[in-house]
Amino acid sequence: MGSRLLFGLLWLGFTLYAFVLAPPDDSEATFALIQRLISGEIDGINPLIVAEFNLMGVLPLAYWCLLFVDGYRHKTQGSRLPAWPFASLMMAVGAFVAVALSGFASACGVL
């Protein structure tokens, strides 16, 4: 029980930090940078930022595939916690949902 509470508080803390404390001071410049990255206009942008931006799409997709395989494996073992809603939401909001899946799965005795 104590570890689940700690895990939940940690998840809540990271979520609050990401949405309340982490937004940039100059949101217009950040939005313009994101638009340039999406359109592929990467001239003059730090290559590490371009690499990180690309990884933020590739790594969740790889984890998404693993969740579907793992969710099917747990479903055949009688788990009532489907992985596909978490995997689909993870593509929209990122690791916040993946961390929640880990917490729910451990609470249900899946992991």
Side-chain angles (χ1 to χ4, degrees):
M1 176 65 180
S3 64
R4 281 189 276 171
L5 179 63
L6 179 66
F7 187 79
L9 290 174
L10 185 67
W11 177 77
L12 182 63
F14 282 138
T15 304
L16 288 174
Y17 172 76
F19 289 105
V20 176
L21 300 174
D25 294 333
D26 188 8
S27 61
E28 291 181 20
T30 302
F31 186 66
L33 175 66
I34 292 171
Q35 283 182 327
R36 286 183 57 202
L37 287 167
I38 290 173
S39 66
E41 300 172 18
I42 59 173
D43 295 333
I45 299 176
N46 186 344
L48 290 176
I49 292 183
V50 175
E52 181 183 7
F53 183 78
N54 290 331
L55 283 175
M56 287 187 335
V58 172
L59 290 179
L61 187 60
Y63 191 65
W64 187 65
C65 294
L66 291 173
L67 275 179
F68 273 108
V69 170
D70 192 49
Y72 178 75
R73 180 175 59 89
H74 288 302
K75 187 174 182 179
T76 59
Q77 295 174 357
S79 173
R80 293 178 302 203
L81 183 68
W84 68 266
F86 292 95
S88 300
L89 281 173
M90 187 183 66
M91 294 305 291
V93 292
F96 300 107
V97 176
V99 172
L101 171 65
S102 298
F104 289 136
S106 64
C108 294
V110 175
L111 297 177

